[in-house]
Amino acid sequence: MSIFAQAVQRQGYAVSDRHSEWSVQSNERSVGIVGAGPAGLTLANLLREAGIPCVVLEKGTREHIETRPRAGVIEHRAVQMLSSHGLADRLLREADRHGACEFRVNGRAHEVDYSALYGGQTHYVYPQQEVVKDLVGHYIASGGDIRFGVTDVQVHEISSSTPRLTWTSATGEAQRLDCSFIAGADGFHGVTRRSIPAGAIQEYSHQHGIEWLSVLAEAPPSTHKVIYALHPDGFAGHMLRSSTVSRYYLQVPVADSVDNWPDERVWAELRKRLALTDSDWKLTEGRIVEKRILDMRSHVVEPMNHGNLYLLGDAAHIITPVGAKGMNLALHDAEVLAAALIEYHRSGDDNGLRTYSEICLRRVWRAQEFSQWMVFMIHRSPEPFLSRLGEARLEHLIASGASAGYFAQNYVGP
Ligand code: PHB
């Protein structure tokens, strides 16, 4: 019997001989999920749907996590997954679908219809906080257990079959949960990854030599498509959120500060870098509601589990925002881990748990490679030779159907 099956038996599951299924007894331990982002909440919903007990711990308030702006693009396959579990009703009603983007270079616009190049698949533009809102609402409506505003979360005994979470509740009481498994979905700075003993995992990290100033403004979009602009002074991006709010990015030097970017400078730089020479296109401006410097860093942990702790989303890997893969990878992790835990609880088969990390990492590294490919293509490097190589890559993408096909497959798929 595998160590996982032994662990489950010790935890009070019993085997029903007739159906060779694990039947759950009253002392069943919960899956402890740390972090209520898209990954943790999707996992929680999928486990609840399958009747597997779980508890979600979140340090923020419900209001905070439901209003915090982050990513905004969801891929076709992630929407299909959410929808197959009844988690995408509002998304499917409200999200805009996008199948083309625009590259601007030397003042000229070039559209890439990636949907046409890749089987009609599209992106859905739906802000991350709306995904979170839907997932929290669905989980709570189905009777799910979620504790907001917790502090001092600690992970214990992950190498044993009886892992444990302790924390202080929002009202100050010390709490404890004996778990079957722990899912670490608490982001890059969370406690779960740090609870893995040194040497048990390998961490790969890379700073891409650039930074982005990320700007959110109450401004209607000035475009129907995501715009990537390559300008001698650096990259500028115009991304979509809603009919009243837009997201913009500017390449800035490493270690730059938002203090150097008063609103007037942001708009002037966006106007300049996004400008078209052969059209009267204009940027609509509005009130800037958020300005942050994004560290363009990639980080991957291998393997994504240790003992009975499984890492998901940003706790296991971060990726640059270029290509908009982060939330999609997090949702994929949740889907794979949920399937593995459900299979295990139903039949004792731990194959899904044993292959969890390998399956997720295959997609993670594919996405990292693509994001890096795009980073190189759309930014100015301090080294002029590298900048010209990036431009050559973009020119090839615009001129070559094969290169555009590669872009489309990786951008909206696979
Ligand atoms: C975004 O919507 O924030 C976004 C979209 C596409 C990218 C990067 C960011 O490549």
Side-chain angles (χ1 to χ4, degrees), residues 79-361:
V79 171
Q80 274 186 325
M81 182 276 287
L82 291 171
S83 160
S84 70
H85 296 282
L87 298 169
D89 295 356
R90 190 163 72 96
L91 185 157
L92 289 170
R93 271 196 317 274
E94 294 182 9
D96 278 336
R97 295 180 68 166
H98 287 262
C101 65
E102 188 174 304
F103 291 95
R104 295 189 174 183
V105 54
N106 297 327
R108 297 191 51 198
H110 307 270
E111 181 181 306
V112 176
D113 186 347
Y114 56 83
S115 177
L117 289 161
Y118 196 65
Q121 292 198 12
T122 61
H123 284 128
Y124 292 74
V125 175
Y126 194 64
Q128 181 169 325
Q129 67 271 27
E130 301 302 322
V131 176
V132 166
K133 208 180 285 172
D134 294 347
L135 293 172
V136 170
H138 197 274
Y139 182 63
I140 290 178
S142 71
D145 186 344
I146 180 164
R147 320 287 174 92
F148 293 104
V150 303
T151 52
D152 193 27
V153 175
Q154 288 181 36
V155 177
H156 310 270
E157 308 285 337
I158 51 169
S159 302
S160 82
S161 59
T162 52
R164 208 164 71 245
L165 287 168
T166 57
W167 69 94
T168 305
S169 75
T171 48
E173 289 117 43
Q175 312 253 292
R176 162 193 171 132
L177 181 73
D178 294 328
C179 304
S180 53
F181 298 94
I182 295 177
D186 51 345
F188 186 58
H189 300 289
V191 296
T192 55
R193 188 182 65 256
R194 281 187 272 123
S195 69
I196 298 177
I201 49 172
Q202 181 155 5
E203 307 207 25
Y204 299 86
S205 201
H206 179 63
Q207 214 290 347
H208 293 264
I210 43 160
E211 262 164 24
W212 274 6
L213 176 71
S214 164
V215 175
L216 193 68
E218 286 170 350
S222 316
T223 171
H224 299 298
K225 312 178 252 321
V226 163
I227 301 174
Y228 300 97
L230 185 60
H231 184 273
D233 293 340
F235 165 77
H238 182 339
M239 278 61 186
L240 302 150
R241 286 296 178 273
S242 71
S243 58
T244 53
V245 172
S246 301
R247 170 76 80 190
Y248 313 88
Y249 299 111
L250 284 168
Q251 179 184 355
V252 297
V254 173
D256 206 348
S257 153
V258 274
D259 300 340
N260 296 329
W261 289 93
D263 293 1
E264 316 77 67
R265 183 176 177 212
V266 170
W267 291 118
E269 203 63 25
L270 283 170
R271 277 195 304 271
K272 180 181 74 185
R273 295 190 197 180
L274 291 168
L276 290 176
T277 46
D278 54 358
S279 110
D280 56 2
W281 180 85
K282 281 222 164 18
L283 180 67
T284 311
E285 300 177 17
R287 189 171 75 91
I288 293 182
V289 291
E290 190 203 70
K291 252 186 282 185
R292 292 193 300 140
I293 298 276
L294 304 184
D295 182 17
M296 301 290 268
R297 181 175 295 279
S298 293
H299 193 99
V300 181
V301 169
E302 281 192 337
M304 286 170 54
N305 62 302
H306 180 75
N308 284 318
L309 168 67
Y310 290 79
L311 301 175
L312 300 85
D314 285 3
H317 41 77
I318 51 170
I319 186 164
T320 78
V322 183
K325 295 288 172 189
M327 179 167 45
N328 295 290
L329 290 175
L331 293 172
H332 180 253
D333 293 348
E335 178 187 5
V336 176
L337 185 56
L341 287 169
I342 292 166
E343 179 184 40
Y344 180 59
H345 276 74
R346 290 197 175 145
S347 68
D349 182 350
D350 66 1
N351 186 50
L353 289 168
R354 281 188 285 105
T355 54
Y356 166 72
S357 176
E358 189 190 325
I359 289 171
C360 293
L361 285 171

Side-chain angles (χ1 to χ4, degrees), residues 208 298 300 319-320 322 325 329 361-376 393 406 410:
H208 293 264
S298 293
V300 181
I319 186 164
T320 78
V322 183
K325 295 288 172 189
L329 290 175
L361 285 171
R362 210 173 294 143
R363 182 170 285 265
V364 166
W365 280 114
R366 184 73 232 110
Q368 293 282 5
E369 193 279 326
F370 175 65
S371 183
Q372 212 270 349
W373 182 88
M374 271 193 86
V375 166
F376 187 79
R393 183 173 289 178
Y406 166 84
N410 286 279

